Amino acid sequence: MFDLLVKGGTLPDGTVADIAILGDKIAEIAPRIDAEAREVIDATGDLVAPPFVDPHFHLDATLSYGLPRLNASGTLLEGISLWGELREIATVEEMVERALQYCDWAASMGLLAIRSHVDTTPDHLNTVTAMLEVKEKVKGYIDLQLVAFPQDGLYRAPNGRENLIRALDMGVDVVGGIPHFERTMQAGAESVRDLCEIAAERGLPVDLHCDETDDSMSRHVETLAHETTRLGLQGRVVGSHLTSMHSMDNYYVSKLIPLMAEAQIAAIPNPLINIVLQGRHDTFPKRRGLTRVREMQAAGIAVGWGQDCVLDPWYSLGTADMLDVAFMGMHVAQMTHPDEMARCFTMVTETNAAIIGVEGYGLSKGAMASLVVLDADNPVDALRLRPARLAVVSKGKVIAKTPRQDAALSIPSRPETVRRRAPKR
Ligand SMILES: [Zn+2]
């Protein structure tokens, strides 16, 4: 007797399979499983995918949009200054409550693993206290990783370095940084070296906000690649944003990308936020500010889409739907070939899981029993529709259900319901 049987779903690779779950693990996956189960989900004709993964988020700031006031200029810098005010007045309880509310949204959308940066700038470290509490509270259904993020600079903020170390001592999982925000290019490069050495000493991964600027001369990713190789951190280092690469000289990039590939650095562009924050100082033409996604992938670099922000000082929208993120990324990076669209779906599932190291991830026998049933035929149509998550299973338990969203039609001689699935070819 299985605990749960997901029947007849179409997997992302197009095969149709039943998935049997016992406890929190996938016990069997086969074209047809005839066995009893305590609960059965009929997924016939629907897409069954491994859960969505967000490799870049800010859970300490989420759902605070408008507090203490709006970001009028829409720039990264005004966002940072607004957040600097908010983190001094927000209580631990308020931050925990907002983060838990966001995790409810995430659960309902099948987003079951999140890497969140946590601001380590203020001496009180309430942000860290709050997010460690959230991590413990959601661990039964969301895998939450925390990154020690010196928002105001490792060296630029008073006690920036000391507080980052304190956060790591409190149990934060990953070393973060923001080299382009340090006072000088040299200080930024020094911070990259310092942070990579801290990570090497402690055996931790590195995930830096790196070159999130339109300045084509912001080249900290070069230093990040060098330090990764020098310290033997290959496969453990992420460059988030990398927007300066959008504006860099093509010849320089032809040298840079192989260095990143050699260091096995992963890249996490955040298309929702970068398309609104970057290019704000341009007249026309306005740059898009998205890093070179297809070019990095062609060189063998792992690239995943991140969400970054939902309703906070930097971004006034967001839904906890990684399909929204992939949809925007696909448009801005012009990844519209069918293979590229399918890859965009893989980026917000398997690639992101591999980049941040989600344990037991995937639809295979013995893996953690976490999956999402989507009201779509296949990954590309899921991107097009961004449809209802009919069922979300996390660690063996059904944690969310959303009804199918067929429209009832009242037009003479036309069908009574509309589902908007793409015509079969
Ligand atoms: Zn960020």
Side-chain angles (χ1 to χ4, degrees):
M1 168 83 78
F2 292 114
D3 292 321
L4 178 64
L5 195 52
V6 181
K7 293 280 291 176
T10 306
L11 308 187
D13 66 3
T15 60
V16 174
D18 292 351
I19 300 173
I21 290 166
L22 194 59
D24 61 1
K25 297 286 188 323
I26 295 177
E28 201 176 339
I29 179 159
R32 190 181 165 130
I33 300 171
D34 290 311
E36 295 283 301
R38 274 177 249 284
E39 188 176 356
V40 176
I41 295 173
D42 180 7
T44 306
D46 296 318
L47 175 64
V48 176
F52 295 104
V53 178
D54 186 356
H56 188 115
F57 197 65
H58 293 263
L59 202 54
D60 50 1
T62 197
L63 306 194
S64 68
Y65 179 62
L67 298 175
R69 56 197 159 70
L70 294 176
N71 180 341
S73 68
T75 58
L76 172 69
L77 296 180
E78 185 174 347
I80 291 176
S81 122
L82 258 178
W83 167 242
E85 294 174 41
L86 180 58
R87 72 186 171 207
E88 294 307 321
I89 54 176
T91 65
V92 169
E93 292 71 29
E94 285 165 353
M95 282 188 282
V96 168
E97 188 45 43
R98 285 196 285 262
L100 287 176
Q101 196 182 344
Y102 176 79
C103 287
D104 293 342
W105 295 12
S108 76
M109 301 309 283
L111 169 52
L112 302 184
I114 300 170
R115 174 180 278 184
S116 175
H117 295 254
V118 183
D119 189 359
T120 59
T121 301
D123 289 339
H124 53 66
L125 288 183
N126 285 347
T127 40
V128 179
T129 304
M131 293 309 112
L132 285 168
E133 186 179 329
V134 172
K135 180 180 172 178
E136 185 61 23
K137 283 200 156 113
V138 304
K139 71 179 182 191
Y141 54 100
I142 289 179
D143 292 320
L144 180 58
Q145 280 181 14
L146 300 176
V147 185
F149 176 47
Q151 170 78 72
D152 293 8
L154 189 72
Y155 304 138
R156 187 167 166 181
N159 307 325
R161 191 179 190 281
E162 293 80 350
N163 289 344
L164 175 125
I165 299 285
R166 283 173 57 211
L168 295 174
D169 288 342
M170 287 165 76
V172 170
D173 313 282
V174 182
V175 177
I178 186 164
H180 55 275
F181 196 71
E182 303 295 347
R183 286 196 175 86
T184 64
M185 214 53 94
Q186 291 87 334
E190 173 60 21
S191 80
V192 173
R193 187 188 61 76
D194 197 357
L195 291 163
C196 287
E197 287 182 354
I198 290 169
E201 265 167 39
R202 291 174 172 249
L204 296 176
V206 177
D207 190 337
L208 305 187
H209 283 65
C210 194
D211 302 321
E212 189 185 5
T213 159
D214 293 317
D215 176 4
S216 64
M217 299 308 288
S218 186
R219 293 174 170 189
H220 297 300
V221 64
E222 175 187 88
T223 307
L224 185 61
H226 172 65
E227 293 300 331
T228 300
T229 306
R230 182 177 74 83
L231 294 164
L233 297 175
Q234 291 93 335
R236 281 163 48 188
V237 175
V238 169
S240 281
H241 293 292
L242 304 176
T243 55
S244 68
M245 286 180 71
H246 180 95
S247 301
M248 280 174 185
D249 172 74
N250 288 331
Y251 180 80
Y252 173 70
V253 173
S254 75
K255 176 195 171 196
L256 175 65
I257 286 182
L259 290 174
M260 293 170 65
E262 176 189 57
Q264 296 168 41
I265 288 181
I268 299 176
N270 298 280
L272 293 172
I273 193 90
N274 290 143
I275 201 65
V276 296
L277 287 185
Q278 311 312 133
R280 286 274 177 169
H281 298 81
D282 291 358
T283 53
F284 289 96
K286 283 183 190 288
R287 288 168 289 176
R288 299 176 181 205
L290 192 74
T291 192
R292 304 191 188 204
V293 177
R294 285 194 297 194
E295 293 73 12
M296 285 193 277
Q297 288 174 332
I301 295 170
V303 186
W305 297 122
Q307 182 172 221
D308 206 0
C309 299
V310 167
L311 293 172
D312 70 9
W314 298 275
Y315 189 56
S316 49
L317 296 165
T319 59
D321 187 358
M322 292 307 292
L323 287 177
D324 278 353
V325 176
F327 188 76
M328 176 64 81
M330 181 186 80
H331 281 80
V332 180
Q334 299 179 326
M335 295 173 68
T336 48
H337 185 279
D339 293 348
E340 292 172 331
M341 290 194 286
R343 195 192 310 154
C344 284
F345 187 91
T346 306
M347 286 166 73
V348 291
T349 51
E350 290 168 35
T351 309
N352 281 347
I355 289 173
I356 70 168
V358 180
E359 273 179 42
Y361 185 87
L363 297 183
S364 59
K365 186 174 175 177
M368 189 59 77
S370 297
L371 55 84
V372 54
V373 182
L374 295 112
D375 187 1
D377 287 319
N378 56 57
V380 172
D381 226 32
L383 262 177
R384 184 180 65 83
L385 292 166
R386 283 151 289 132
R389 310 306 126 99
L390 302 171
V392 177
V393 178
S394 180
K395 303 179 197 252
K397 294 196 176 66
V398 180
I399 60 163
K401 284 187 174 179
T402 303
R404 223 179 269 287
Q405 287 161 341
D406 295 355
L409 210 57
S410 300
I411 301 172
S413 73
R414 297 305 305 154
E416 290 179 355
T417 60
V418 178
R419 190 168 286 180
R420 299 190 304 145
R421 294 224 181 160
K424 294 249 191 296
R425 301 265 180 251

